[in-house]
Amino acid sequence: MDLIHCCVRWPWKNFPTSKTSLFQKEERLRHYNPLPLTVPAFSNRMPAQCVFSRIEGKGKRSPPPPPGGAPAKLAAASPVASRKWRSSAHALRGAPRRAQTPGSVTYVQSNLPRRPVPRSPRLRPGGAARAPGAGRTARSHPGAATCPFSAKMALASGVRFAPRALLRPWSSPVELFHHDRYRHHEPPAPVHYEDKHVSVVKVWGGTEPSRYFLITARIHKWPSGILRLGGINGDDISEAPRVCPWARRWVQTASAGPAAALSTGAGPSLPLFLLLAEWVAVMKLRNPPVNALSLELLTELVISLEKLENDKTFRGIILTSDCPRVFCAGLDLTEICGRNPAHCAEYWKAMQELWLRMYLSSLVLVAAINGACPAGGCIIALSCDCRVLADNPKYRIGLNETLLGIIAPFWLKDTYVNTIGHRASEQALQLGSLFPPAEALQVGLVDQVVPEDQVQSTALSEMARWLAVPDHARQLTKNMMRKATADRLLRQRDADTQNFVSFVCRDSIQKSLQAYLEKLRQRKG
Ligand SMILES: CCCCCCCC/C=C\C=C\CC(=O)SCCNC(=O)CCNC(=O)[C@H](O)C(C)(C)COP(=O)(O)OP(=O)(O)OC[C@H]1O[C@@H](n2cnc3c(N)ncnc32)[C@H](O)[C@@H]1OP(=O)(O)O
């Protein structure tokens, strides 16, 4: 199994809603803190609360008037938090402060445990904190209600800040692309640009003046890295570093390319906004020839999932196959054919464990199904939040257990029912149906069917759509939808293992498994 890490760049909540709002208000820009505040990389596994942080820069500034004081509600709630707030607010407005390491992240106020700052600059959380519009979004965002102090209060005290609770789903590139502004907009002429540093993968949005654009670019030095850069045509690229100073190096590297490439119809240069970083892991199943779920592969998967869940820099996993033409052939029949009961029990427990982990994972799981996906393979896919299937009639998906003379356990059945409904499951399970892509889409087994070469990119776009939702809300909702099904297995896990072992160890079942395996081998010949 291969684990590849890639980065989906994320625009900050205050991605400008009009050119005027960002660039023509010189006054605002002048007062704009040249040391922009940032939020830590999305970590909102926690309930919606404010986390304020900033990136320290170099240079001194003249001290502005001291802040008005901590918000009254905060002071009443917690004197310590209030004191912290007071001193942080003071520091933010440029008052003399103790020496701080340039580039370090300072948490201004948080009632959450302080999160570790990733050591690698790649992992450094960041984003542009743009005060304009923050208040507006605060009012409309559900998370704002639970903020220990509101955006309005903070703005009133003169602090420019970036409360995570104000993150707006519509600020994602995909959302922006689907925004009204673009819905009827002709896609731009394809832009090809490649130099030794960067190659443009895709350009979103228009090339007309006053139009936003987003570029997905690949950074060569960083092969799995995908950079999302956004901006408004015709504006000055030199804005980019002030929007996101920690990413200056990348912006400078990238700017010459895409900007030059896009500048033809739009002006001499383009601003690039490199905003919040999100990390997505791409997990490739690699157990040739057919990615059968051997005990080893199951164990690997469980361990990798656990690692990624514990690594707070990740928010999503794209699960795909490294074996040509097969996503996953399901249970490795050699693990349950001719084996002793103890081995079968160990194997089944690993299968349960994987399903439980995937089904209840706090990460967004997207299955990029680039091959056949029968039985256990289908279960892996169904445990994900979203499925993208390659449009190839040979890539069929479904639970075909009955055709092998075996019965899907209740939790596989439940997963099926939860996905495609009772009647469709009843029919498909009894008939052991394996659906070709068009039918799989129709029945609701997959969410998208796309040409084979677009499976990964579509999975990435889907991921962006899912990541646009605040984690805590999405996770709680996922839990609400899936917990009862998972609990059912948790309550009777041992009994389920016993059932499985006694079932597959029956002579008749062993014979039919053997015959099935033989058939598979002969078919190959
Ligand atoms: C009272 C009730 C109690 C509860 C009881 C519960 C019991 C429930 C039990 C089980 C639930 C099971 C779910 C499952 O997942 S069962 C597995 C079902 N899987 C399949 O049916 C898929 C079979 N494979 C295929 O259809 C094809 O191989 C395919 C994936 C479409 C790929 O086709 P192709 O590329 O043409 O590859 P080949 O067919 O030539 O196969 C290449 C070699 O791989 C071997 N193979 C294939 N699948 C498996 C498998 N699942 N396990 C082990 N080995 C597999 C195949 O034999 C070839 O081997 P060789 O190279 O040695 O010839």
Side-chain angles (χ1 to χ4, degrees):
M1 195 182 58
D2 200 12
L3 200 63
I4 296 175
H5 299 163
C6 77
C7 180
V8 180
R9 293 272 146 208
W10 208 251
W12 174 241
K13 67 184 176 69
N14 287 321
F15 202 84
T17 50
S18 78
K19 184 173 176 173
T20 310
S21 69
L22 188 58
F23 292 101
Q24 290 180 351
K25 294 191 176 166
E26 272 306 312
E27 190 67 358
R28 189 183 282 171
L29 276 179
R30 251 205 313 281
H31 291 298
Y32 181 68
N33 190 343
L35 307 173
L37 314 178
T38 63
V39 288
F42 269 32
S43 59
N44 32 7
R45 293 150 206 283
M46 301 167 270
Q49 294 179 52
C50 289
V51 171
F52 304 100
S53 68
R54 67 182 169 138
I55 290 178
E56 291 293 320
K58 291 176 186 163
K60 285 183 181 170
R61 282 170 296 141
S62 56
K73 270 190 197 170
L74 180 66
S78 158
V80 178
S82 166
R83 263 202 308 281
K84 269 195 201 164
W85 164 263
R86 199 188 302 273
S87 61
S88 307
H90 191 65
L92 273 175
R93 302 183 78 187
R97 53 180 183 260
R98 267 177 246 119
Q100 282 169 319
T101 329
S104 70
V105 174
T106 307
Y107 289 76
V108 175
Q109 196 282 331
S110 166
N111 54 0
L112 301 171
R114 187 172 172 154
R115 281 172 47 72
V117 179
R119 257 176 255 126
S120 153
R122 276 188 206 167
L123 299 180
R124 173 73 54 79
R130 289 203 171 260
R136 186 186 64 236
T137 54
R139 248 169 270 133
S140 56
H141 195 280
T146 57
C147 286
F149 39 84
S150 72
K152 211 171 163 187
M153 287 156 76
L155 281 176
S157 70
V159 177
R160 290 157 195 271
F161 68 103
R164 192 184 48 209
L166 302 186
L167 288 171
R168 296 280 296 175
W170 50 256
S171 64
S172 84
V174 177
E175 287 291 321
L176 189 73
F177 185 61
H178 290 306
H179 192 268
D180 268 344
R181 192 179 291 262
Y182 291 113
R183 198 166 289 158
H184 307 295
H185 186 64
E186 287 294 305
V191 174
H192 299 290
Y193 183 85
E194 182 141 17
D195 66 15
K196 63 178 179 171
H197 298 303
V198 64
S199 54
V200 170
V201 178
K202 184 158 187 162
V203 179
W204 312 77
T207 49
E208 287 172 21
S210 300
R211 291 279 175 179
Y212 306 118
F213 68 88
L214 288 154
I215 302 170
T216 305
R218 190 173 295 284
I219 307 298
H220 295 173
K221 268 201 285 187
W222 179 27
S224 58
I226 286 181
L227 194 62
R228 282 247 162 103
L229 304 160
I232 301 172
N233 292 339
D235 283 304
D236 189 358
I237 203 163
S238 61
E239 284 292 339
R242 69 194 258 163
V243 174
C244 194
W246 61 266
R248 186 172 295 157
R249 193 162 46 90
W250 299 333
V251 171
Q252 279 170 353
T253 310
S255 62
L262 275 178
S263 65
T264 41
S269 59
L270 299 165
L272 299 180
F273 301 113
L274 176 86
L275 303 164
L276 214 63
E278 297 303 331
W279 289 81
V280 173
V282 179
M283 229 192 244
K284 291 193 173 185
L285 302 175
R286 191 192 294 149
N287 187 20
V290 290
N291 278 337
L293 295 167
S294 62
L295 184 56
E296 197 190 347
L297 181 60
L298 289 177
T299 315
E300 275 281 315
L301 274 167
V302 169
I303 292 171
S304 298
L305 269 173
E306 191 177 351
K307 266 192 204 162
L308 292 170
E309 295 247 359
N310 292 337
D311 184 339
K312 301 297 178 206
T313 45
F314 288 98
R315 294 180 65 217
I317 301 174
I318 293 176
L319 192 64
T320 190
S321 162
D322 203 36
C323 294
R325 301 183 310 280
V326 184
F327 176 73
C328 170
L331 298 197
D332 187 339
L333 297 174
T334 61
E335 296 275 7
I336 54 174
C337 193
R339 301 293 193 127
N340 62 39
H343 183 86
C344 292
E346 188 189 357
Y347 181 68
W348 196 242
K349 281 180 190 160
M351 185 67 204
Q352 291 170 337
E353 183 65 30
L354 178 64
W355 178 77
L356 285 167
R357 273 198 182 272
M358 291 188 71
Y359 202 60
L360 294 179
S361 174
S362 59
L363 301 170
V364 174
L365 303 185
V366 175
I369 310 167
N370 49 353
C373 190
C378 174
I379 282 302
I380 300 283
L382 291 181
S383 315
C384 294
D385 299 294
C386 172
R387 287 157 288 284
V388 179
L389 175 61
D391 193 4
N392 182 330
K394 287 184 183 157
Y395 298 170
R396 297 192 302 157
I397 179 170
L399 296 182
N400 60 334
E401 278 79 354
T402 49
L403 297 183
L404 285 71
I406 55 181
I407 309 156
F410 69 87
W411 42 280
L412 295 203
K413 179 267 295 173
D414 288 347
T415 315
Y416 219 35
V417 171
N418 291 350
T419 312
I420 63 172
H422 196 278
R423 175 61 191 145
S425 302
E426 187 177 35
Q427 217 172 1
L429 274 173
Q430 290 189 46
L431 295 174
S433 308
L434 285 172
F435 296 96
E439 284 177 38
L441 184 64
Q442 196 183 14
V443 79
L445 208 46
V446 296
D447 302 292
Q448 288 212 48
V449 171
V450 296
E452 206 158 344
D453 59 346
Q454 288 171 26
V455 172
Q456 307 300 333
S457 59
T458 309
L460 204 58
S461 303
E462 275 293 336
M463 178 63 78
R465 204 159 72 90
W466 284 74
L467 291 184
V469 179
D471 275 354
H472 64 278
R474 184 190 51 74
Q475 285 160 2
L476 289 173
T477 307
K478 180 171 179 175
N479 203 275
M480 182 172 71
M481 300 297 294
R482 295 187 167 193
K483 193 165 181 303
T485 307
D487 278 351
R488 220 179 136 202
L489 173 61
L490 284 169
R491 278 197 300 272
Q492 36 188 320
R493 212 168 157 175
D494 289 342
D496 182 65
T497 309
Q498 284 298 323
N499 277 342
F500 175 78
V501 173
S502 58
F503 184 78
V504 296
C505 290
R506 281 185 207 164
D507 280 350
S508 58
I509 300 299
Q510 283 294 316
K511 274 186 195 147
S512 82
L513 287 175
Q514 243 154 18
Y516 187 71
L517 263 174
E518 204 46 50
K519 204 171 98 188
L520 282 175
R521 286 174 186 147
Q522 280 169 6
R523 196 177 66 173
K524 192 181 171 193

